[in-house]
């Protein structure tokens, strides 16, 4: 995260380093301490996130591969997840 007025200043950036129940942030200089907000090792390619103000939730779709087949044109599919914050906790919608 970064204030809009400082988006070009790398030193102003903060990265997520906590958990969904205990969110925390580290400065750019400590970026090696960042943590993932979601993991699905080797199975997620493209993704997009949006916020639905009416529901007060974030929705995240991910292009996913089958476990042993990396080509998503014929195998795999996509997943949709929902959370109250962009760092989770994530619930599977589809």
């Amino acid at each position: 995260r970064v204030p809009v007025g400082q988006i070009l200043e790398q030193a102003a950036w903060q990265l997520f380093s906590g958990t969904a129940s205990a969110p925390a942030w580290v400065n750019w200089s400590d970026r090696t301490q960042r943590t993932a907000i979601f993991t699905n090792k080797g199975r997620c390619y493209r993704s997009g996130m949006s916020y639905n103000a009416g529901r007060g939730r974030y929705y995240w779709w991910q292009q996913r591969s089958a476990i042993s087949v990396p080509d998503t044109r014929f195998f795999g599919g996509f997943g949709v997840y929902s959370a109250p914050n962009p760092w989770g906790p994530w619930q599977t919608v589809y």
Side-chain angles (χ1 to χ4, degrees):
R1 66 185 187 177
V2 64
V4 174
Q6 294 178 297
I7 200 164
L8 297 177
E9 299 172 34
Q10 195 173 49
W13 284 76
Q14 292 184 328
L15 304 163
F16 186 74
S17 66
T19 64
S21 59
W25 307 92
V26 294
N27 292 326
W28 179 259
S29 59
D30 297 321
R31 63 189 173 274
T32 58
Q33 297 176 25
R34 68 190 183 271
T35 57
I37 61 169
F38 184 92
T39 59
N40 197 1
K41 189 173 180 172
R43 296 198 61 206
C44 181
Y45 297 112
R46 302 177 93 177
S47 69
M49 189 185 296
S50 61
Y51 179 70
N52 183 307
R55 293 184 175 183
R57 295 195 62 89
Y58 290 84
Y59 291 90
W60 192 359
W61 73 267
Q62 297 179 351
Q63 178 186 1
R64 298 177 44 169
S65 72
I67 292 173
S68 60
V69 182
D71 189 341
T72 61
R73 292 177 298 168
F74 305 109
F75 300 96
F78 68 94
V80 179
Y81 307 93
S82 173
N85 298 299
W87 53 83
W90 294 99
Q91 296 174 328
T92 302
V93 176
Y94 178 82

